[in-house]
C-alpha cells in the first residue's frame, strides 16, 4: 500500500483510532497486561473514515430548465465549457434511455441555467460519458448496444462520438451497433473519453465489469491517435493493480497522469500515458466520476455506495473533495435533495471557474444539482 493510501483515516477518524487504542489497552488486549494501565470506561465511537467530513456547500435543485417543458431524465454526464462558465449536460431523453426518441440529449446551459443549444437527437441509445476538450468539441459515449428485437435500434450503440460545439459529428470511434471483444478498435459499452496532452484519445471500455463474474468481460482502456486510429489498449477484468472492473470515468490530472474511476473496485487508479500503473486511491469511496478544479483539487462523485449494502457497505454517497497529491479528503458534499429521496446522488460531476460544483443525477428521476460554497 502506498503512503497516500495510508492517509485514509484523517481528521476525526484519528480521534476514533485514539479511543480504540485506549479501549483495547483498558481491556488488556493487544498484548497489554491487566494492571499496566489505568482502566478507562469509555466506548469507542464508530467512525467511517469515508464519511467523516464536513460539508461547507449548499446544494440546490431546479436551477437549470430543459427546453420545451421537458423534465430531466437520467443524466450521467456534466462538463464545463473551456470558457469556464457554460455547462454541458446529458439528458437521457426524459427517461433512462434515448432509444426510440428524437429528443436532443446534449444540452448546453449558461451560468444561470438557461439553454444555449441542444443537439444529438436520434444518434445514440444510452448517452453516458461526456467530455469537452480544450477546443470545445463535445465527446459522448453510447454505452449500450442495440436490442436485436427492435429494428429501430440497429446500427447504434457501442461508440464514442466527437461532436463540434454546434453538433456536427466529426469522428466516431468503434463500429455503431457492433460489440467488441476487448481487442482492437471495436468498442463494447464504452464509458468515457479523455484527451491526452498530445491529443491521443483514451476510452474507458466496458461498462459491465462491476456486474459480472465472467473474467472475459471487457474492462480496458483503449488508446487512439487524434485522428481515430487505434494504437493499443491495456487492462483486464480483475481487482489487482492495473486490473479494472468498469472504468467508469477517466481524465488527465494537472500532473499529466491518466486517472481512472475503477468503480467496480471502489478506487481511483493512476496510469501514465502508456498504461503503466502508478498508484491507487480508495479514500474517495466508490467513484462514478470526478473532476479537477483550477487549483488541482479533485471532486469525486460516488452515486452507488450504501444503497444495496453490498457494493461499498458503510460508505455514504456524495461528492468527496480532496487531493491526489497527498491523498487527503477535505469535504463530503451531500447530494440528497428532498424532491428525490430515493437516490439523488450525482453520478457525474463538474466544477466551473467560480468553484460551483455541478452534479448529474441518474436515479430518482434525474436532476441537475448545483452546489455553492457557503
Amino acid at each position: 500500500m502506498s503512503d497516500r493510501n495510508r492517509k485514509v483515516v484523517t481528521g476525526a477518524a484519528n480521534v476514533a483510532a485514539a479511543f480504540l487504542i485506549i479501549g483495547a489497552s483498558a481491556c488488556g488486549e493487544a498484548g497489554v497486561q491487566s494492571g499496566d494501565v489505568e482502566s478507562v470506561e469509555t466506548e469507542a465511537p464508530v467512525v467511517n473514515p469515508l464519511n467523516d467530513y464536513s460539508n461547507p456547500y449548499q446544494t440546490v435543485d431546479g436551477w437549470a430548465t430543459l427546453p420545451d417543458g421537458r423534465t430531466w431524465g437520467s443524466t450521467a454526464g456534466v462538463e464545463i465549457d473551456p470558457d469556464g462558465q457554460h455547462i454541458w449536460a446529458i439528458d437521457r431523453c426524459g427517461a433512462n434511455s434515448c432509444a426510440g426518441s428524437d429528443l436532443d440529449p446534449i444540452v448546453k446551459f449558461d451560468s444561470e441555467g438557461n439553454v444555449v443549444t441542444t443537439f444529438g437527437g436520434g444518434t445514440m441509445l444510452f448517452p453516458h460519458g461526456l467530455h469537452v476538450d480544450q477546443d470545445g468539441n463535445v465527446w459522448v459515449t453510447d454505452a449500450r448496444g442495440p436490442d436485436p428485437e427492435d429494428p429501430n435500434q440497429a446500427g447504434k450503440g457501442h461508440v464514442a462520438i466527437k461532436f463540434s460545439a454546434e453538433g456536427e459529428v466529426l469522428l466516431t470511434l468503434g463500429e455503431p451497433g457492433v460489440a467488441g471483444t476487448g481487442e482492437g478498435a471495436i468498442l463494447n459499452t464504452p464509458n468515457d473519453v479523455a484527451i491526452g496532452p498530445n491529443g491521443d484519445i483514451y476510452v474507458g471500455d466496458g461498462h459491465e465489469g462491476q456486474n459480472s463474474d465472467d473474467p472475459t468481460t471487457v474492462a480496458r482502456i483503449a488508446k487512439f491517435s487524434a485522428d481515430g486510429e487505434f494504437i493499443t489498449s491495456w487492462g483486464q477484468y480483475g481487482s489487482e493493480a492495473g486490473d479494472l472492473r468498469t472504468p467508469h470515468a477517466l481524465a488527465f490530472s494537472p500532473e499529466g497522469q491518466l486517472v481512472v474511476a475503477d468503480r467496480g473496485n471502489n478506487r481511483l487508479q493512476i496510469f501514465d500515458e502508456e498504461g503503466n500503473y502508478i498508484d491507487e486511491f480508495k479514500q474517495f469511496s466508490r467513484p462514478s466520476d470526478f473532476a479537477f478544479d483550477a487549483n488541482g483539487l479533485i471532486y469525486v462523485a460516488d452515486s452507488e455506495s450504501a444503497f444495496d449494502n453490498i457494493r461499498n457497505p458503510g460508505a455514504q454517497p456524495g461528492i468527496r473533495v480532496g487531493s491526489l497529491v497527498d491523498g487527503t479528503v477535505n469535504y463530503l458534499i451531500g447530494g440528497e435533495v428532498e424532491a428525490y429521496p430515493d437516490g439523488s446522488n450525482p453520478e457525474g460531476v463538474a466544477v466551473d471557474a467560480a468553484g460551483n460544483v455541478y452534479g448529474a443525477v441518474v436515479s430518482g428521476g434525474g436532476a441537475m444539482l448545483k452546489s455553492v460554497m457557503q
Side-chain angles (χ1 to χ4, degrees):
M1 180 183 295
S2 71
D3 288 339
R4 294 173 178 175
N5 286 321
R6 293 191 182 98
K7 297 180 183 292
V8 173
V9 181
T10 60
N14 285 329
V15 176
F19 274 111
L20 287 171
I21 293 170
I22 293 172
S25 299
C27 295
E29 296 176 359
V32 179
Q33 297 180 1
S34 178
D36 286 349
V37 295
E38 181 181 352
S39 177
V40 179
E41 293 184 4
T42 182
E43 183 176 347
V46 178
V47 177
N48 189 323
L50 292 174
N51 304 331
D52 192 50
Y53 302 102
S54 62
N55 178 17
Y57 289 83
Q58 180 179 3
T59 299
V60 295
D61 179 36
W63 68 275
T65 303
L66 289 170
D68 304 321
R70 287 167 52 181
T71 57
W72 283 99
S74 294
T75 170
V78 59
E79 275 275 290
I80 305 301
D81 192 80
D83 67 10
Q85 300 178 13
H86 286 82
I87 300 98
W88 291 88
I90 287 172
D91 166 54
R92 289 186 186 145
C93 303
N96 195 31
S97 171
C98 286
S101 174
D102 290 325
L103 292 174
D104 288 337
I106 304 168
V107 187
K108 182 181 182 181
F109 298 94
D110 65 20
S111 59
E112 302 300 319
N114 302 305
V115 175
V116 175
T117 189
T118 70
F119 57 79
T123 62
M124 61 194 77
L125 301 173
F126 191 69
H128 189 274
L130 178 65
H131 173 66
V132 181
D133 65 29
Q134 62 183 3
D135 297 320
N137 300 305
V138 181
W139 299 76
V140 183
T141 59
D142 192 350
R144 283 185 185 167
D147 181 347
E149 298 182 0
D150 183 356
N152 294 320
Q153 296 186 29
K156 295 180 182 179
H158 295 306
V159 293
I161 305 173
K162 177 184 180 182
F163 295 92
S164 71
E166 293 73 38
E168 178 187 359
V169 175
L170 303 177
L171 179 68
T172 299
L173 303 177
E175 185 172 340
V178 178
T181 62
E183 298 179 356
I186 308 302
L187 303 174
N188 187 317
T189 62
N191 297 289
D192 198 15
V193 171
I195 307 301
N198 68 346
D200 286 345
I201 307 162
Y202 298 77
V203 180
D205 195 27
H207 188 274
E208 296 308 307
Q210 69 181 47
N211 303 315
S212 175
D213 294 324
D214 182 355
T216 67
T217 302
V218 175
R220 65 168 182 161
I221 305 300
K223 181 179 179 180
F224 298 82
S225 66
D227 59 1
E229 293 296 317
F230 177 76
I231 298 174
T232 188
S233 65
W234 73 84
Q236 61 182 0
Y237 173 93
S239 300
E240 299 298 321
D243 291 346
L244 299 162
R245 290 190 63 197
T246 304
H248 201 265
L250 57 161
F252 277 85
S253 71
E255 293 73 32
Q257 298 171 333
L258 182 65
V259 184
V260 179
D262 183 11
R263 188 164 80 172
N265 286 318
N266 298 332
R267 64 186 178 184
L268 297 171
Q269 290 202 78
I270 317 297
F271 300 90
D272 67 16
E273 295 177 54
E274 306 307 318
N276 298 304
Y277 171 86
I278 297 173
D279 206 348
E280 68 178 42
F281 298 83
K282 293 189 174 181
Q283 53 266 52
F284 293 92
S285 198
R286 185 177 177 87
S288 288
D289 192 19
F290 60 91
F292 292 96
D293 69 12
N295 298 315
L297 291 178
I298 190 170
Y299 298 68
V300 183
D302 174 357
S303 60
E304 291 195 341
S305 286
F307 285 132
D308 54 16
N309 212 27
I310 296 173
R311 297 180 182 185
N312 195 21
Q316 295 177 1
I319 298 172
R320 287 167 177 80
V321 184
S323 170
L324 294 188
V325 175
D326 59 12
T328 57
V329 181
N330 300 323
Y331 308 126
L332 172 56
I333 304 173
E336 296 85 359
V337 292
E338 185 176 353
Y340 302 95
D342 297 325
S344 61
N345 295 285
E347 179 166 318
V349 62
V351 188
D352 67 17
N356 301 309
V357 183
Y358 300 87
V361 176
V362 168
S363 54
M368 183 60 64
L369 308 179
K370 181 178 181 179
S371 298
V372 181
M373 181 75 78
Q374 299 184 73

